[in-house]
Amino acid sequence: MTSPLNESMSCFLIKVDPWVLEPIAFRGLHVLAFKGLHALTFRGLHALAFRGLHVLAFRGLHVLAFRGLHVLTFRGLHALTIRGLHVLAFVGLQALTFRGLHVLTFKGLHALNFRGLHALAFRGLHVLAFRRLHVLTFRGQHVLAFRGLRVLAFRRLHTLTFRGLHALTFKGLHVLTIRGLHALAFRRLHVLAVRELHVLAFKGRHVLDFRGLHALAFRGLHVLIFSGLHIRTLREFKVLCL
């Protein structure tokens, strides 16, 4: 072990002449200074500084800093920062931030945020939001919303809504509604209603109702009723429109 006189002399040499490499050792403490390089070791702690580079290591903790770059590692935790970029990783969690971009991943969960754009994915669930556009997907179900437009798709069910327009499709059933107009189609059944006009068609049968006018056509049978007037034709006769 060096004497106090030798330790003071070592310190004196470092301070007076920086060009001289002179280490210090005292009870497990080791210090070195040489041309801007500074190194320290003490009971598992290691520190180093050289021209803007700073490094530290202590019991699983590792820290590095160099010209705006900062890196940290501790027991599975990893963190990095450089010029507005921030990255973090910890036991399945990954996070990133850069100029308004935010990204996160954790146990199958993925999330993203960038200038008003929001995206999320988790176990078959996918969500996207951008300004007025919203999109959702989950186990075969798809939902979309955009400026009053609403769209839904689930297995065989499809639904659309837009400014008074409503449309639905399900297993061969089609339904539409817009500004007083109602239309329905199912297999061979077709129905239309608009204001006072009602039309029905089913397996060759056609029915019409409009302001007191009633008309029916079925397999060669034609019936027309209008203001007390009744006209019927069968097979060889035809109905003339008045």
Side-chain angles (χ1 to χ4, degrees):
M1 181 180 297
T2 59
S3 64
L5 179 60
N6 292 335
E7 293 174 4
S8 62
M9 287 298 294
S10 298
C11 295
F12 177 77
L13 288 175
I14 291 174
K15 291 181 180 179
V16 173
D17 191 355
W19 296 97
V20 177
L21 173 61
E22 189 69 26
I24 297 176
F26 178 71
R27 292 182 182 177
L29 170 65
H30 302 271
V31 181
L32 185 147
F34 179 66
K35 293 182 180 180
L37 168 66
H38 303 271
L40 182 147
T41 300
F42 180 67
R43 294 181 181 176
L45 169 65
H46 303 272
L48 184 146
F50 180 66
R51 294 181 181 176
L53 169 65
H54 302 271
V55 181
L56 185 146
F58 180 67
R59 294 181 182 175
L61 169 65
H62 302 271
V63 181
L64 184 148
F66 181 66
R67 295 180 182 176
L69 168 65
H70 302 272
V71 181
L72 183 147
T73 300
F74 180 66
R75 294 180 181 175
L77 169 65
H78 304 272
L80 183 148
T81 300
I82 177 172
R83 295 179 181 177
L85 170 65
H86 304 273
V87 181
L88 186 145
F90 180 67
V91 187
L93 169 66
Q94 280 91 24
L96 183 148
T97 301
F98 182 65
R99 295 179 181 176
L101 169 65
H102 303 273
V103 181
L104 185 145
T105 300
F106 180 66
K107 294 181 179 179
L109 168 66
H110 304 272
L112 183 146
N113 183 2
F114 181 65
R115 296 180 181 176
L117 169 65
H118 305 273
L120 185 146
F122 181 66
R123 294 181 181 175
L125 169 65
H126 302 270
V127 181
L128 186 146
F130 181 64
R131 294 178 182 174
R132 298 183 184 180
L133 171 65
H134 302 272
V135 180
L136 184 147
T137 300
F138 181 65
R139 294 180 181 176
Q141 178 177 357
H142 305 272
V143 180
L144 184 146
F146 180 67
R147 293 183 180 177
L149 170 65
R150 306 280 189 269
V151 180
L152 185 147
F154 181 64
R155 294 178 181 174
R156 297 183 183 180
L157 171 65
H158 303 272
T159 306
L160 185 147
T161 302
F162 182 65
R163 295 180 182 176
L165 168 66
H166 303 273
L168 183 147
T169 300
F170 180 66
K171 292 182 179 180
L173 169 65
H174 304 273
V175 181
L176 186 145
T177 300
I178 177 172
R179 296 178 182 176
L181 168 66
H182 304 273
L184 184 148
F186 181 65
R187 294 179 181 173
R188 296 183 184 181
L189 171 64
H190 302 273
V191 181
L192 185 145
V194 52
R195 294 178 183 176
E196 300 180 14
L197 171 64
H198 302 272
V199 181
L200 183 147
F202 179 65
K203 292 183 179 180
R205 177 184 297 176
H206 303 274
V207 180
L208 184 145
D209 184 1
F210 180 66
R211 294 182 181 178
L213 170 64
H214 305 274
L216 183 147
F218 179 64
R219 293 183 182 175
L221 171 64
H222 302 272
V223 179
L224 187 146
I225 300 175
F226 181 66
S227 299
L229 174 64
H230 301 269
I231 300 177
R232 183 176 67 181
T233 64
L234 180 61
R235 296 180 184 277
E236 66 274 9
F237 296 100
K238 297 182 179 179
V239 177
L240 300 178
C241 299
L242 300 180

